[in-house]
Amino acid sequence: MLRLRLLGSPTRQRQPGVFSTPRFCSRAGRTLHTHANTPHIHAETRSSSVEPSGPVRVRFAPSPTGMLHLGGLRTALFNYLLSKRYGGAFILRIEDTDQKRLVSGAVGNLVKTLEWAGLSFDEGPGKPGDAGPYFQSQRGDLYRKHAYQLLDKGAAYRCFCDSHRLETIRAEAIAQGRPPMYDRRCLHLSQRQIDEKLRVGEPHTIRFIAPSPADPASADAAQFFDIVHGRMRFRGPAGFDDAVLLKSDGLPTYHLANVVDDHYMRITHVLRGEEWLISTPKHRALFRAFGWEAPQYAHLPLLMNADGSKLSKRNRDGPIQGYIDSGYLPSALVNYAALLGWHPGAGDKELYSLEELEQAFSLEGLSRSKSVVSRDRLDWLNKQHLHKEINSESTSSQGHLSRAVLEIDQHISRFSERPDARDTALRALKMCSDRLTFTHDLFGTASYLFADPDLDSEEAKKTVAKVPQDTRLYLLQAAISQLKAYPDLDFSSKPWNGLAKEIALAASVSASNSSGSLAQVSVPKSHAMMMLRFALTGQSTGPKIPELLQFFSHAEILSRLERALAKVAVD
């Protein structure tokens, strides 16, 4: 018997009278148990194609109880990609029935973040369609209508139990090792008792009558095909709880609103987090009670931290706004999110644009395995996308340029006011693009491109130490002499190789003449290159020397060489 720990509770807060059942993960071909009296799930391996045969209607349905997080972005992305791959509509639905937990500005952040990521929805807030409104708080009459329909047909009942009694039932069940389920006391009230309670205005909820394990409706609800996990069988000794449909304030619970909305919005596929897998039998039972066809389900595995804990909204790697503020590109974060639980199949391709993902995405590629969030992998992807965008002619390239100018302006007074500021920054970005993870790394990586290098730094000292002290002066003198002799030299690879050899040869002659012996001093070309790097950058690594010589003006090169010469002469 495989035992698993319970996962965290769903993001929606449990209302009084709404008992939440523990959730479990599943593995293909295995039954997962946590307690002899609690329900468990059996998953069988997928055996047939799960790809849609025609256009789809999918939805991303967040609760505005906080800012969008990485798991939410991944869910939105997979729904978006499915709609683009097979045609149809991607709907944004705001599930705001839990008014006590709403966060001001959360809806605006959701919409803005989706736009930032390039995930344009077809219907939703600000984009009306024939299935609106798209805020659940504006659909209350529809939910109440359908709750009373179930009440009238005997598929639901009024529950007058207060929160104290419900909590008592729950505590007793847990203490006795039983699943915390409502005892159906109010199901057995007579009509006279119900009428009297209604007459005096006693608060009540409306509960769904869950089918018993022996009822064929229960088997239908509890056995279903999940696109990710395969054929599912949900079993328990007492079936599942009588879910609350309408709370005492007249607002719907998640279960009722979810099912009603998915039906009226004509949702064909539900891609959502694995934490909702345990709720699917309830939803399927509700669909059956209404006489509606349920959509196909795909429950996405959890995102995990490196230590194996569940990634949460409050984790550093959770909120999307944190990624935006850190300088990650939309293209990189979308690429990264796509690879958290999806694989294209053959090949080892990792770099995808959003357009490429739209063409490559498939439901077959969804993985059952949990994905570990890794900043190292995201940083690598950001570096690749940044390099590509900087060297393109797209509008994103201009955006990087503007941000680079602003970044340099914080270090170099009034840099942005220079006539050549944007041209200088653009050439610097292109030259350093393969060494940048973020645009704002430019000045920290190559400050020497915009100001004189610090020749007294530890890095500069280590660089110049790679060249013997008795030849440093001659190398710089030879370099200055050569550059003065050829002021219009094109510093492409071939002329540069010749120039470096000339500098090394001239330094060899000078060193030999001053040695006081007949022995010839041979200075290697590599030393000439190192002294040029020292003079121009104060760094031991960086762009190629020909690129640096092409970046600076002739006058600037001579100025830096002479400054380095003065430094070496003193040392």
Side-chain angles (χ1 to χ4, degrees):
M1 179 180 292
L2 178 63
R3 297 187 179 274
L4 295 183
R5 64 181 178 84
L6 298 183
L7 302 178
S9 59
T11 56
R12 292 171 178 80
Q13 184 176 357
R14 184 176 59 83
Q15 298 295 323
V18 184
F19 292 127
S20 59
T21 309
R23 281 164 311 284
F24 318 91
C25 293
S26 58
R27 294 288 186 274
R30 292 185 180 181
T31 302
L32 307 187
H33 305 263
T34 58
H35 191 280
N37 291 325
T38 55
H40 56 264
I41 298 171
H42 183 80
E44 298 175 2
T45 307
R46 292 177 291 190
S47 60
S48 59
S49 175
V50 295
E51 300 305 323
S53 58
V56 300
R57 283 180 66 84
V58 294
R59 45 74 165 181
F60 175 50
S63 295
T65 55
M67 305 299 113
L68 187 63
H69 56 94
L70 184 59
L73 178 67
R74 182 188 66 164
T75 300
L77 173 63
F78 286 172
N79 279 281
Y80 167 87
L81 293 177
L82 187 63
S83 71
K84 293 299 181 183
R85 177 69 175 81
Y86 293 100
F90 171 49
I91 299 167
L92 175 62
R93 185 172 80 210
I94 305 299
E95 299 194 341
D96 58 346
T97 56
D98 191 350
Q99 296 289 303
K100 294 180 181 178
R101 299 181 61 230
L102 300 186
V103 172
S104 177
V107 174
N109 173 265
L110 285 166
V111 173
K112 183 179 179 181
T113 305
L114 291 177
E115 291 175 348
W116 173 84
L119 309 184
S120 177
F121 52 91
D122 302 296
E123 301 176 29
K127 294 184 178 180
D130 62 2
Y134 298 94
F135 287 84
Q136 287 189 336
S137 59
Q138 300 172 10
R139 300 168 67 87
D141 289 343
L142 183 65
Y143 305 136
R144 285 185 285 273
K145 171 186 173 182
H146 284 83
Y148 284 108
Q149 279 184 6
L150 293 181
L151 195 64
D152 292 341
K153 67 193 299 186
Y157 61 97
R158 289 183 171 90
C159 178
F160 296 89
C161 294
D162 59 24
S163 59
H164 175 72
R165 181 174 187 276
L166 295 173
E167 290 299 334
T168 300
I169 296 171
R170 178 180 177 82
E172 289 177 352
I174 293 174
Q176 296 171 15
R178 295 183 289 105
M181 300 173 69
Y182 180 58
D183 61 2
R184 290 187 165 179
R185 173 181 177 179
C186 290
L187 176 61
H188 305 295
L189 293 175
S190 67
Q191 189 60 50
R192 182 177 178 179
Q193 290 174 308
I194 294 172
D195 291 342
E196 178 59 23
K197 290 178 179 292
L198 292 175
R199 187 186 67 79
V200 298
E202 192 168 330
H204 66 280
T205 62
I206 293 180
R207 287 182 179 273
F208 176 59
I209 302 177
S212 68
D215 190 330
S218 177
D220 177 71
Q223 297 186 35
F224 58 92
F225 181 82
D226 185 273
I227 291 170
V228 174
H229 297 284
R231 184 65 58 184
M232 308 298 296
R233 290 187 313 206
F234 178 97
R235 300 197 307 273
F240 50 86
D241 199 12
D242 288 356
V244 172
L245 303 180
L246 277 186
K247 294 176 282 188
S248 58
D249 58 7
L251 290 175
T253 60
Y254 168 76
H255 302 297
L256 176 64
N258 181 277
V259 168
V260 170
D261 285 348
D262 282 350
H263 171 71
Y264 281 99
M265 292 182 181
R266 306 185 301 283
I267 301 302
T268 62
H269 294 74
V270 173
L271 279 64
R272 61 186 181 187
E274 191 177 69
E275 63 267 29
W276 296 110
L277 182 61
I278 202 74
S279 297
T280 306
K282 292 182 181 180
H283 297 170
R284 287 178 54 80
L286 279 169
F287 273 106
R288 182 184 176 97
F290 284 121
W292 300 336
E293 182 179 354
Q296 296 186 55
Y297 291 95
H299 289 90
L300 308 172
L302 299 171
L303 298 183
M304 312 298 288
N305 296 307
D307 62 3
S309 62
K310 178 185 174 183
L311 184 72
S312 71
K313 292 181 180 180
R314 289 163 290 281
N315 185 280
R316 179 183 78 95
D317 292 318
I320 298 301
Q321 192 60 49
Y323 292 99
I324 297 174
D325 294 343
S326 297
Y328 287 100
L329 306 178
S331 56
L333 192 59
V334 164
N335 189 166
Y336 179 64
L339 298 177
L340 292 173
W342 172 80
H343 191 276
D348 55 359
K349 179 179 173 64
E350 286 193 89
L351 287 176
Y352 287 90
S353 66
L354 182 57
E355 292 74 18
E356 289 173 327
L357 288 171
E358 291 173 6
Q359 296 299 316
F361 183 77
S362 68
L363 294 175
E364 288 280 2
L366 294 176
S367 172
R368 297 182 180 90
S369 302
K370 296 176 179 62
S371 296
V372 176
V373 173
S374 166
R375 281 288 180 119
D376 290 342
R377 189 184 192 193
L378 175 57
D379 286 349
W380 181 83
L381 286 170
N382 206 70
K383 185 174 184 178
Q384 307 311 310
H385 281 273
L386 180 60
H387 174 72
K388 181 179 179 180
E389 291 182 11
I390 286 174
N391 291 283
S392 71
E393 301 300 325
S394 64
T395 55
S396 59
S397 174
Q398 294 302 308
H400 297 312
L401 175 57
S402 297
R403 286 189 289 275
V405 170
L406 291 175
E407 174 68 18
I408 298 166
D409 219 28
Q410 295 180 21
H411 302 276
I412 306 296
S413 178
R414 306 180 76 173
F415 173 82
S416 61
E417 298 179 14
R418 298 180 186 178
D420 63 343
R422 290 183 68 84
D423 178 66
T424 300
L426 179 60
R427 290 190 296 121
L429 279 172
K430 288 181 177 293
M431 185 164 61
C432 299
S433 63
D434 60 344
R435 283 174 284 276
L436 302 177
T437 300
F438 303 99
T439 304
H440 57 69
D441 289 342
L442 178 60
F443 191 85
T445 300
S447 60
Y448 52 79
L449 295 178
F450 313 101
D452 286 337
D454 182 3
L455 300 182
D456 291 314
S457 68
E458 290 302 315
E459 178 66 17
K461 291 176 182 177
K462 287 193 296 183
T463 302
V464 75
K466 296 177 181 180
V467 178
Q469 188 171 9
D470 57 354
T471 61
R472 297 171 191 169
L473 194 68
Y474 301 127
L475 283 166
L476 289 171
Q477 289 174 336
I480 292 171
S481 177
Q482 289 292 324
L483 286 165
K484 284 183 176 180
Y486 302 102
D488 300 321
L489 183 66
D490 174 19
F491 293 112
S492 55
S493 296
K494 189 173 181 179
W496 155 245
N497 286 330
L499 178 63
K501 290 178 181 178
E502 290 293 329
I503 293 172
L505 181 60
S508 298
V509 172
S510 297
S512 298
N513 291 339
S514 63
S515 67
S517 69
L518 296 177
Q520 295 294 311
V521 177
S522 177
V523 179
K525 186 178 75 170
S526 62
H527 287 179
M529 296 170 67
M530 190 56 65
M531 288 308 296
L532 278 172
R533 187 172 293 283
F534 165 75
L536 295 175
T537 71
Q539 304 286 317
S540 60
T541 61
K544 296 177 180 179
I545 298 298
E547 292 178 344
L548 290 168
L549 293 172
Q550 289 176 317
F551 180 85
F552 296 117
S553 67
H554 188 263
E556 179 66 20
I557 295 170
L558 286 174
S559 173
R560 294 193 177 202
L561 287 171
E562 289 167 352
R563 182 168 172 266
L565 179 63
K567 173 66 179 173
V568 169
V570 172
D571 293 343

